[in-house]
Amino acid sequence: MKVTIVGAGNVGATCADVISYRGIASEVVLLDIREGFAEGKALDIMQCATNTGFNTKISGVTNDYSKTAGSDVVVITSGIPRKPGMTREELIGINAGIVKTVAENVLKHSPDTIIVVVSNPMDTMTYLALKSTGLPKNRIIGMGGALDSSRFRTYLSLALDKPANDISAMVIGGHGDTTMIPLTRLASYNGIPVSQFLSEEELQKVAADTMVGGATLTGLLGTSAWYAPGASVAFLVDSILNDQKKMIACSVFVEGEYGQDDICIGVPCIIGKNGVEEILDIKLNEQEKALFAKSADAVRQMNDALKSILA
């Protein structure tokens, strides 16, 4: 099984490292436009093999899409990362052309691939990839919900002082600081609602911390985070390549689900060998429905901005 990662920066390289270390794919190709950059990252990761015990073949190429041929999954991380004070939405004009070009190039050599979009603003870039390629909607997946949900579980684990892996929690809606919706009502610790352990005030703080999780790290690091995003991509790719059919919140094209049409937005999905195999209908309460509608409106506004840029 072969995975191509376009963009060998922090997120792309971390994703390649996790996929290799965990043996998720037999081959990983890193591609970047910077001369020698992807080659250097690939060589560095390969030199870990004897110490960490993996056998994945890793290669790096400079802007040569022919080397990506036959990829089962292509991950697009290309584009500029956020800087302190910059929103994901501000990246739209810069990253739109990059993502469109990358998607077109990879499909020339891997026409049957599943594309995972990481570039921000992620919901809008996922929508762009879908519309510009004409692929079936099950084969274009935005990664954001997997990352947001992992951050949600992390903040819950800190509040509960319990292991994050014992906590089940999900974030839906747009992948933005004001558009994501941490579902505190449905979060649980080993099957027990977390509301039995945390007050409403504590839960709201967890939700607020989750929503600005990316911005918090950008402020601390001076650039976008990469360890958790890279691992989240690998988690999603694993479910595709190994047909695990995990339920993962992903940005996908909706046609009536959750009362929305013609946008890509985070909803709970079953992810398997065919990409998005099912969109699950979680019964939201009235407050959650209102928040989701508001989030969808914000995502749609970004899509409209995208259309004006590309017109």
Side-chain angles (χ1 to χ4, degrees), residues 123-200:
D123 299 293
T124 300
M125 294 300 104
T126 305
Y127 182 83
L128 169 66
L130 179 74
K131 293 296 184 178
S132 65
T133 62
L135 288 180
K137 64 180 184 178
N138 63 295
R139 288 173 54 195
I140 302 286
I141 307 172
M143 179 279 301
L147 172 60
D148 297 333
S149 297
S150 72
R151 287 173 172 160
F152 186 25
R153 292 171 66 190
T154 297
Y155 282 116
L156 283 169
S157 76
L158 293 172
L160 291 165
D161 193 25
K162 298 292 188 296
N165 286 326
D166 285 350
I167 296 168
S168 177
M170 181 178 293
V171 175
I172 61 172
H175 180 58
D177 299 347
T178 61
T179 56
M180 67 180 74
I181 306 163
L183 294 174
T184 55
R185 179 178 63 90
L186 300 178
S188 63
Y189 165 57
N190 278 336
I192 304 171
V194 295
S195 57
Q196 293 192 22
F197 306 98
L198 299 174
S199 67
E200 181 60 27

